[in-house]
Amino acid sequence: MSLVLDPAAQDLLFREARTANTFTDEPVTDKQVQAIYDLVKFGPTAFNQSPLRVVLVRSAEGRERLVQHMAEGNRPKTATAPLVAILAADNEFHEELPALLPHFPQAKDLFFAERPVRESAAGLNAALQAAYFIIGVRAAGLAAGPMTGYDAAGIQKEFLDDDHTPLMVVNIGKPGEDAWFPRSPRLSYDEVIKTV
């Protein structure tokens, strides 16, 4: 059985897409980011938690503050990408649950009253949403350069607060010259999929 999604879309989202390391100077507009969000917000999370929060770093001053917290190898591409997004998990996501889960508003206190439970749930579900976000960037015809090489405590202090945990920094834009490293190997079906 083949996939229903058009092969060109499969290539755009998965087979041909890779982490971009260089970008053109073509801007990424707020309209593009809105379109990305309006698509990926429908990706599933447990209890419809939707704990992902995004900080768009557009200003030169914000970029300078961010670059100082990036690992050395990530600094040049972060300094020059048209747009940089800090993706974070909101550990107080449960405050939104009555609106996001109107048929079960008691889930807020029943399951998520304790901070360690919320942090675990927020980390997992925001990571799911971060993956959707990357796919959404690709669906917009842009390239994503997700990175976890940074000083997390520094980024949290500089751009977030104690209720938000940084997950990754994503450079976004049209791919530039020599944007791609060679494709790395993947595990085979039989190495990943088991039937019992």
Side-chain angles (χ1 to χ4, degrees), residues 7-44:
Q10 295 173 37
D11 289 343
L12 177 71
L13 300 179
F14 294 100
R15 284 191 288 263
E16 298 299 324
R18 296 199 298 282
T19 295
N21 293 288
T22 67
F23 299 89
T24 70
D25 58 3
E26 183 178 328
V28 176
T29 67
D30 288 336
K31 195 175 215 178
Q32 288 172 300
V33 176
Q34 180 76 53
I36 291 165
Y37 177 72
D38 286 342
L39 174 65
V40 303
K41 68 183 178 184
F42 294 109

Side-chain angles (χ1 to χ4, degrees), residues 44 47 53 58 60 73 87 92 96 116 157 187 193:
F47 292 95
R53 302 296 179 263
R58 288 198 180 277
L87 275 52
E92 297 298 311
E96 305 294 338
K157 182 177 181 182
L187 296 174
I193 307 297

Side-chain angles (χ1 to χ4, degrees), residues 125-140:
N125 287 280
L128 282 173
Q129 289 187 285
Y132 305 146
F133 183 84
I134 292 167
I135 299 299
V137 167
R138 294 172 176 178

Side-chain angles (χ1 to χ4, degrees), residues 55 57 61-70 86 151-162 164 166:
V55 176
V57 182
E61 180 267 335
R63 187 74 59 105
E64 189 175 308
R65 288 169 40 218
L66 176 60
V67 167
Q68 70 180 340
H69 296 292
M70 301 303 294
I86 301 169
D151 171 14
I155 286 178
Q156 184 175 29
K157 182 177 181 182
E158 192 83 34
F159 294 94
L160 305 167
D161 57 34
D162 290 341
H164 295 81

